[in-house]
């Protein structure tokens, strides 16, 4: 056995088998790196295509949904809430419970000027009741916002759920008179 001195002793040249094994290992490592890089690139391409497809689907869905909402906004009747308002002889108005308003109710005056039960304006008692459309009604206080004019092409309901008018294209409400 010979003694090796650092910096002086030369390593022996590899045998033919060792050189082939090293070359084979290098080639396999390079091939594995290339395959991993290709797989990563394919994965990125697939992810990008899926994202583009997803964005396209979301965009088309948003466009269709937006078109549908616009169509509904144009063609659908408005939703209006009617409140029952009491008028006294001095013309003061106060929001009252919905049970006082409606065709056939005592002292109720509908939008056509027809009265509920009673023989007419001369015999009609006070207070009078009618619907007030829209605004922010608070029972016991005067109504704010809204109007006494019934909106056309609107679905009108009371807070208690009674339907006063059904809206929609061609919808028209006309009242008949109830007399004695």
């Amino acid at each position: 056995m010979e003694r090796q001195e650092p910096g002086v002793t030369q390593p022996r040249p590899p045998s033919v088998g060792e050189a082939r094994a090293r070359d084979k290992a290098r080639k396999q490592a390079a091939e594995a790196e290339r395959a991993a890089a290709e797989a990563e690139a394919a994965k990125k391409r697939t992810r990008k295509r899926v994202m583009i497809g997803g964005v396209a689907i979301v965009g088309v869905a948003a466009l269709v949904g937006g078109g549908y909402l616009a169509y509904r906004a144009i063609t659908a009747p408005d939703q209006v809430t009617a409140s029952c308002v009491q008028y006294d002889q001095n013309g003061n108005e106060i929001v009252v419970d919905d049970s006082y308003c409606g065709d056939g109710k005592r002292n109720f005056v509908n939008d056509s000027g027809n009265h509920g039960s009673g023989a007419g304006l001369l015999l009609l008692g006070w207070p009078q009741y009618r619907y007030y459309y829209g605004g922010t009604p608070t029972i016991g206080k005067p109504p704010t916002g809204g109007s006494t004019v019934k909106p056309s092409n609107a679905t009108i309901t009371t807070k208690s759920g009674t339907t006063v008018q059904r809206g929609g294209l061609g919808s028209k409400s006309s009242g008949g008179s109830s007399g004695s």
Side-chain angles (χ1 to χ4, degrees):
M1 182 165 148
E2 296 181 27
R3 189 178 164 134
Q4 296 182 2
E5 293 183 27
V8 175
T9 309
Q10 293 289 325
R12 73 170 173 82
S15 67
V16 176
E18 290 173 339
R20 282 186 190 155
R22 252 187 239 142
D23 288 343
K24 187 175 181 181
R26 280 189 204 124
K27 286 180 184 177
Q28 285 178 347
E31 182 66 29
E33 272 185 46
R34 190 185 58 75
E38 284 180 8
E40 185 64 30
K43 192 175 180 182
K44 283 182 181 179
R45 277 194 309 271
T46 303
R47 187 179 314 135
K48 185 175 179 181
R49 288 177 183 165
V50 167
M51 290 296 287
I52 290 172
V55 168
I57 289 172
V58 168
V60 168
L63 185 64
V64 169
Y68 176 74
L69 290 176
Y71 169 77
R72 293 292 296 166
I74 291 170
T75 61
D78 293 330
Q79 299 289 330
V80 177
T81 302
S83 305
C84 188
V85 176
Q86 166 189 322
Y87 287 91
D88 62 16
Q89 290 172 327
N90 299 326
N92 298 323
E93 48 189 31
I94 300 292
V95 177
V96 295
D97 188 70
D98 290 339
S99 63
Y100 292 100
C101 288
D103 289 331
K105 301 283 177 120
R106 181 178 172 92
N107 297 339
F108 173 72
V109 180
N110 66 18
D111 295 315
S112 302
N114 299 320
H115 303 283
S117 62
L121 187 57
L122 293 176
L123 299 177
L124 189 65
W126 293 96
Q128 292 182 349
Y129 302 97
R130 70 176 298 146
Y131 282 120
Y132 195 86
Y133 304 103
T136 52
T138 304
I139 292 181
K141 294 185 178 184
T144 56
S147 171
T148 57
V149 177
K150 182 189 273 187
S152 61
N153 189 29
T155 299
I156 304 171
T157 56
T158 63
K159 282 187 175 183
S160 61
T162 304
T163 300
V164 176
Q165 170 180 296
R166 296 194 190 284
L169 297 176
S171 168
K172 184 170 181 174
S173 174
S174 60
S177 71
S178 60
S180 51

